[in-house]
Amino acid sequence: MINNRIASRLAAAAALAAALSVGSVPGALADGRAGTHAYADKTVKADLPPGDGGGWEGDGLYLNAADNKKVDRFLARARSAERMVSPEMQAVARISHANLIGFDHRLKSPDSLKRKVATAMEEVPGQSVEATLARISDSVRYTLQWPDGSYSRGVAIASSALALWGNDSVKWSNTWARKHGYKGINSAWRDPRSGHIFEVQFHTPSSKWAQVATHKLYEEQRLPSTSPERAQELQEQQDAIFASVPVPDGADKLGAPAQTRPTDARTLPAPVDRPAAA
């Protein structure tokens, strides 16, 4: 349950969501490239990116032509979903007083996604590309950030707003209580209009800094060519960086919001879906 003060702030989202329908969409929202989209009563259509229909390879990893085409279709659906979810995330950031970090990188790049898919398929021999893609939650991703002192309250407001808009919470990983390794909250949500899953990370400035500082170490650690000895060395380096991150009061106790009944979603209006600039 959310208290009256949080509920009042969530109610204010009506005006904020309406404000998103006035004037032009910010530049970061105006670069959607493919497809048309609408809400639950309409069909999502996405155009495939141009390509030669061949396979993909990079960093010693490989996808055959058929699997590569399926990943391209998944990427097209992600682009269509992003154009619906992004206005909502802007409103959530405003009502929770969060900074929306890295918004220009809200879509995972094709090479990054294909590397992730190929790595997962190599780690689990025989796993199909469909099964692998079903486990991908960050093809569309956002990061909300608050100062340490307002972090826990900000996460409660933002996650409650997402649930009230009808997004299903399908993953909630709170690692603030860990003694070693990554610190933060990684969540995944299913957009009720497109059915696509998107990721929302909740960070403080320190935890976000640590994530960026360890990114290359983590990427090297996951490569199939990385030896067990090197992987352990990389993990120790990451642990040392995350050990310096302060834990905000109450952060380790934050849980996913309660499931919202369909009628409750009407508490907040759907953000206005705007077309990309020509």
Side-chain angles (χ1 to χ4, degrees), residues 3-78:
N3 62 34
N4 290 336
R5 293 182 64 189
I6 293 178
S8 296
R9 187 174 294 182
L10 291 175
L16 288 167
L20 289 175
S21 68
V22 179
S24 61
V25 179
L29 272 180
D31 62 356
R33 288 166 285 179
T36 59
H37 56 277
Y39 293 96
D41 59 338
K42 297 183 181 179
T43 301
V44 174
K45 178 182 178 182
D47 296 328
L48 287 173
D52 59 8
W56 174 91
E57 59 182 311
D59 295 328
L61 299 164
Y62 175 76
L63 293 173
N64 63 38
D67 287 347
N68 186 47
K69 186 174 182 179
K70 291 173 183 177
V71 177
D72 282 337
R73 290 189 180 279
F74 182 87
L75 283 163
R77 292 194 297 271

Side-chain angles (χ1 to χ4, degrees), residues 241-254:
I241 292 172
F242 280 112
S244 68
V245 176
V247 179
D249 289 342
D252 57 332
K253 298 179 177 62
L254 291 167

Side-chain angles (χ1 to χ4, degrees), residues 110-123:
D111 275 343
S112 180
L113 181 64
K114 291 175 182 182
R115 186 180 300 109
K116 184 171 185 175
V117 169
T119 298
M121 292 176 69
E122 185 160 320
E123 290 175 344

Side-chain angles (χ1 to χ4, degrees), residues 4-239:
N4 290 336
R5 293 182 64 189
I6 293 178
S8 296
R9 187 174 294 182
L10 291 175
L16 288 167
L20 289 175
S21 68
V22 179
S24 61
V25 179
L29 272 180
D31 62 356
R33 288 166 285 179
T36 59
H37 56 277
Y39 293 96
D41 59 338
K42 297 183 181 179
T43 301
V44 174
K45 178 182 178 182
D47 296 328
L48 287 173
D52 59 8
W56 174 91
E57 59 182 311
D59 295 328
L61 299 164
Y62 175 76
L63 293 173
N64 63 38
D67 287 347
N68 186 47
K69 186 174 182 179
K70 291 173 183 177
V71 177
D72 282 337
R73 290 189 180 279
F74 182 87
L75 283 163
R77 292 194 297 271
R79 283 193 293 272
S80 292
E82 177 274 321
R83 295 175 65 191
M84 290 184 278
V85 175
S86 284
E88 183 173 287
M89 287 304 306
Q90 287 193 312
V92 168
R94 292 181 187 182
I95 64 175
S96 66
H97 296 168
N99 287 325
L100 193 54
I101 303 298
F103 190 68
D104 287 346
H105 304 288
R106 61 199 179 277
L107 281 167
K108 200 172 187 71
S109 72
D111 275 343
S112 180
L113 181 64
K114 291 175 182 182
R115 186 180 300 109
K116 184 171 185 175
V117 169
T119 298
M121 292 176 69
E122 185 160 320
E123 290 175 344
V124 185
Q127 179 171 273
S128 68
V129 69
E130 291 89 352
T132 303
L133 288 170
R135 299 173 64 89
I136 299 291
S137 60
D138 64 346
S139 58
V140 183
R141 69 275 179 93
Y142 305 90
T143 298
L144 296 176
Q145 178 180 290
W146 299 266
D148 289 25
S150 55
Y151 176 82
S152 293
R153 181 173 177 79
V155 171
I157 293 172
S159 60
S160 294
L162 284 166
L164 285 169
W165 256 316
N167 298 289
D168 290 329
S169 175
V170 298
K171 173 186 173 183
W172 186 273
S173 177
N174 184 340
T175 58
W176 282 108
R178 283 184 182 174
K179 292 184 179 179
H180 304 290
Y182 181 87
K183 286 186 172 65
I185 296 176
N186 285 11
S187 65
W189 307 77
R190 181 177 285 104
D191 171 50
R193 296 152 293 182
S194 66
H196 198 82
I197 294 175
F198 62 96
E199 179 185 79
V200 182
Q201 295 186 7
F202 303 107
H203 277 293
T204 66
S206 294
S207 66
K208 183 61 182 177
W209 167 83
Q211 182 193 45
V212 173
T214 59
H215 179 70
K216 289 185 178 180
L217 303 175
Y218 174 74
E219 289 293 318
E220 182 184 348
Q221 184 183 31
R222 281 184 54 83
L223 289 175
S225 58
T226 301
S227 69
E229 295 77 16
R230 176 58 178 163
Q232 179 60 36
E233 178 184 343
L234 292 166
Q235 185 60 59
E236 291 172 356
Q237 292 177 27
Q238 293 174 69
D239 290 346

